[in-house]
Amino acid sequence: KEGVEKLVGGICLFLQGSAGDQIPFEALSGDVRLAERIGNRIAADAAATLTAMSPMNYRMDYSHVVESGAPLGVQKKTVLADTPATVRVAEAVAELPVKPFEAIDVLEERAAATRAELHALKNDGADHETLADVHFRARRADIMLVMARRVQGVSTVPIPIRALRIGDAVLVSAPMEIFSATGLAIREASPFAMTFVGGYTNGTEGYLPPAECYAEGGYEVELACYVSKDAEAVFRQSAIELVKSLHTA
């Protein structure tokens, strides 16, 4: 964002897409400078694209010839009338079904026990490998407890989906870590020429994995997620209906 603004001025809006199952191939190298390097590359590409675009609708016409050793034809730019772009916003709420968790008191006891174990090991001067293992388990126990508390006593959670139409483009956003397959499905069903689906917007409620991911297991479905395997289909259909309603409005 800062790189684009420095290169071309104005205000840059940075949106993160449907990246719940995506990661740069270099990201696990341990090099913290990687984020800045990737950011600079994206900023340069975005600035180059923007610089090549024209903010005006225009037509180039032949004007006259200038002699400069060789005769050069000079073009004249005629600015044409702009067609005002339609700008609309809309919002829908998707009631996403939640998955079952162990009892809150069981999860609280486990989280407290692992934190106490970690604290004791630190006081005893345990080695890095031992501390890392217990820290990992304590972190997982805390996350699981947070997710369980979020959906305690409810069968669904309301998730807002917001869409912004600008001409023949639409931006769709939600406070979830949306997977790439979900974003692509919404884009393919969209009647707009350009459809962008972004997650992590106005907060985040955890991962939203497609149903087939639950059989694979892993962090995204087992830990940092409180919705059931049916939730993604509910979300996807709600988002598609919202986009289509904006197109016809």
Side-chain angles (χ1 to χ4, degrees), residues 44-129:
D45 287 343
T49 301
L50 183 60
T51 303
M53 298 170 62
S54 171
M56 297 182 296
N57 185 21
Y58 67 90
R59 183 184 69 244
M60 298 298 292
D61 298 307
Y62 168 76
S63 174
H64 59 281
V65 173
V66 173
E67 291 293 343
S68 180
L72 303 177
V74 177
Q75 300 288 315
K76 176 183 178 183
K77 178 185 286 187
T78 301
V79 177
L80 305 177
D82 262 342
T83 302
T86 300
V87 178
R88 289 194 177 93
V89 295
E91 179 178 344
V93 176
E95 290 287 343
L96 303 188
V98 304
K99 66 182 183 181
F101 284 88
E102 293 181 272
I104 294 294
D105 56 349
V106 172
L107 294 174
E108 287 176 339
E109 182 178 344
R110 184 179 301 147
T114 51
R115 284 196 298 268
E117 181 182 0
L118 179 61
H119 183 70
L121 287 171
K122 286 181 177 179
N123 288 339
D124 293 341
D127 61 85
H128 174 75
E129 186 175 343

Side-chain angles (χ1 to χ4, degrees), residues 1-43:
K1 180 179 184 299
E2 292 178 355
V4 173
E5 292 174 351
K6 289 178 181 177
L7 288 169
V8 297
I11 298 175
C12 174
L13 175 63
F14 178 84
L15 300 173
Q16 191 157 329
S18 305
D21 57 343
Q22 303 296 309
I23 190 170
F25 73 95
E26 297 177 282
L28 302 180
S29 66
D31 183 1
V32 296
R33 296 169 298 179
L34 176 66
E36 183 174 359
R37 190 158 64 245
I38 292 176
N40 287 336
R41 289 177 59 185
I42 295 173

